[in-house]
Amino acid sequence: MRQRFTARAVVIGDRAGTVVPDAVVDVTDGGITWVGPAVDAPPPGDAEVVALPGVLTPGLVNAHSHAAMVLFRGQGEGLPLDRWLREVMWPRESRLTPEDVEVAMTAASAEMLAGGITTSVEMYFQPERIAAAVGTTGARAVIATPLLPLPGMPPMAEQLDAAVALARSAPADGLVEYGLGPHAAYTVPLPLLADAAQAAREHGLLLHLHVAETATEGADLLAASGLSVPALLASYDVLGGRVLAAHCVHMDDGDLELWREYDVAVAHCPASNAKLASGVAPLRPMLDRGIRVGLGTDGPASNDSLDLFADLRLAAGMARLRERSATALTAAEAFWLATGGAADALGRPDLGQLAAGRRADLVHVDTRDLVFEPVGDPADVLAHLVWSGAGRHVRDVWVGGRAVVRDRSVTSVDTAALRAEVAARAARLAAG
């Protein structure tokens, strides 16, 4: 199937913030074959022409999420991370059924698609149910099977073996990729973390874990080992390969140098870190060292939104406040963190940009709204997307050239029915 998309402007999703006014994107069999100004476009031939009045952007890439936690949205409000986990989240999660997870993930995936997120990195229980949910909605997911020593779960070594077997069995169609998700150095035995890292390197899998999210976490590990969290991970040979570390809030210069040396990527989650008062990650120093960074929402119980547009605006604002500089993160860089930068952080060069050879994951942002005026220069398009745009401005979404959101409605599911089912299941889990 051949398609030609025309738009008021195309945002490429690169670090430079390239915007092409009056542009064309050609797609064949779900892949992008040409991008550029309409005046230079090749003849459309027999392509279906899709004329869009707004701006076309890459599908957003959510670099860290526990999206099925829509079941717990808003619960434990006002608690710090350790109490939030132990007093509210983990007791409720112990009562989850596989059906709970699939229903919740289906609803969350639909919510993300409606906000322009076409790919998310998920770390949550029942990974095969997570995959089934995105199969229903038509989204993409990189699913890091969680490894965590909780009551009722198999021994850690068995969890790891099962996670590796699942990852190796996945079809190579780019829609669902499985990785390994050992929770963190303060919850998972360090020898098991080392085994997981070795397995990830051996099979080319993404290793995704939480690192230095809170000051308390780092202080406890430092007191016990004499090492910071990153240094401790390095000492156990956890680093190297496709490692994606979520949060990385409490990092000093030495830690950042370790990240640069081992090419560890970061999933930056400013909204969750702000809500839980975890701190402000050193984003500018990471980028200046060449560390790969992608933007993540974290779970909808700790954000509580799955609107990545809101998070990229917060990322830019918090970076500027931290550095006390209005140039600490440009609008172009902020948008790149949610598109091309996030794809790089995942090790997925097929995603994140509107460029020939990449998958046709496209988002049409309806710019017929006062918040997108005036545009005196192409760069203004990015400035408006970052500082005044929102998920509600997304009108249409395609994944691999397939329409999954049309005129603001998700095409594959009944969102009203899902909302009611999530509410009922959440009430049961809260009741105990």
Side-chain angles (χ1 to χ4, degrees):
M1 182 176 68
R2 298 181 65 237
Q3 300 158 290
R4 166 162 290 187
F5 296 86
T6 66
R8 173 186 180 184
V10 162
V11 176
I12 299 299
D14 57 352
R15 189 169 187 172
T18 304
V19 177
V20 183
D22 189 19
V24 161
V25 176
D26 283 340
V27 173
T28 300
D29 296 333
I32 299 172
T33 57
W34 194 87
V35 179
V39 295
D40 298 331
D46 61 354
E48 173 197 4
V49 177
V50 183
L52 304 172
V55 169
L56 203 57
T57 81
L60 305 185
V61 178
N62 186 349
H64 179 64
S65 177
H66 317 280
M69 292 180 77
V70 291
L71 290 165
F72 313 120
R73 180 176 259 150
Q75 306 307 295
E77 165 61 23
L79 293 177
L81 178 65
D82 56 345
R83 291 186 58 199
W84 178 78
L85 286 172
R86 299 183 189 282
E87 297 176 19
V88 181
M89 293 301 116
W90 288 345
R92 297 184 190 204
E93 286 178 328
S94 70
R95 298 187 282 272
L96 279 171
T97 67
E99 292 76 16
D100 290 333
V101 174
E102 185 169 344
V103 168
M105 185 65 210
T106 304
S109 180
E111 180 181 344
M112 287 191 285
L113 284 174
I117 297 170
T118 53
T119 301
S120 64
V121 178
E122 299 296 337
M123 181 196 288
Y124 209 59
F125 308 108
Q126 303 292 334
E128 291 172 288
R129 292 300 189 109
I130 299 288
V134 298
T136 296
T137 64
R140 298 188 196 276
V142 179
I143 305 169
T145 300
L147 307 175
L148 196 61
L150 289 177
M153 294 184 70
M156 295 295 295
E158 290 183 21
Q159 291 184 41
L160 176 58
D161 289 344
V164 172
L166 179 60
R168 298 188 67 189
S169 70
D173 59 7
L175 288 172
V176 170
E177 175 189 356
Y178 291 104
L180 305 180
H183 179 262
Y186 69 93
T187 50
V188 175
L190 287 161
L192 189 283
L193 264 174
D195 290 343
Q198 181 179 348
R201 291 192 292 267
E202 180 180 346
H203 299 291
L205 307 177
L206 184 74
L207 183 80
H208 188 34
L209 71 166
H210 301 79
V211 175
E213 183 175 0
T214 68
T216 303
E217 162 199 345
D220 290 347
L221 288 170
L222 181 65
S225 68
L227 297 172
S228 68
V229 182
L232 187 62
L233 294 173
S235 73
Y236 274 83
D237 198 27
V238 174
L239 308 181
R242 288 176 65 194
V243 178
L244 176 64
H247 303 296
C248 301
V249 173
H250 298 277
M251 307 267 286
D252 62 21
D253 287 344
D255 297 329
L256 294 176
E257 283 302 308
L258 275 175
W259 258 216
R260 182 194 60 77
E261 176 185 348
Y262 286 97
D263 192 27
V264 176
V266 172
H268 175 46
C269 305
S272 174
N273 296 156
K275 185 190 176 194
L276 296 174
S278 298
V280 182
L283 179 58
R284 186 72 256 166
M286 290 177 185
L287 295 177
D288 288 346
R289 285 173 169 83
I291 294 170
R292 292 174 294 126
V293 181
L295 192 64
T297 60
D298 206 356
S302 65
N303 183 312
D304 294 345
S305 169
L306 289 172
D307 184 349
L308 205 55
F309 278 95
D311 292 351
L312 64 87
R313 179 162 57 251
L314 187 60
M318 290 177 70
R320 295 181 182 196
L321 280 172
R322 184 185 187 278
E323 308 303 328
R324 298 185 180 182
S325 168
T327 61
L329 194 74
T330 65
E333 285 180 311
F335 198 78
W336 165 70
L337 289 177
T339 51
D344 289 345
L346 273 56
R348 289 292 299 265
D350 56 328
L351 306 175
Q353 291 191 34
L354 298 188
R358 303 219 181 194
R359 300 184 190 271
D361 295 355
L362 316 174
V363 173
H364 172 215
V365 179
D366 193 342
T367 54
R368 294 173 298 181
D369 187 301
L370 185 57
V371 303
F372 292 105
E373 300 295 346
V375 177
D377 182 271
D380 293 341
V381 173
L382 268 174
H384 296 330
L385 284 171
V386 170
W387 294 110
S388 53
R392 65 183 175 84
H393 293 117
V394 171
R395 179 172 172 179
D396 307 286
V397 179
W398 296 262
V399 175
R402 174 193 171 200
V404 292
V405 177
R406 186 178 289 117
D407 198 17
R408 297 187 176 90
S409 295
V410 180
T411 61
S412 56
V413 297
D414 183 339
T415 53
L418 280 170
R419 185 168 62 247
E421 193 165 359
V422 165
R425 290 173 183 270
R428 189 197 85 242
L429 294 167

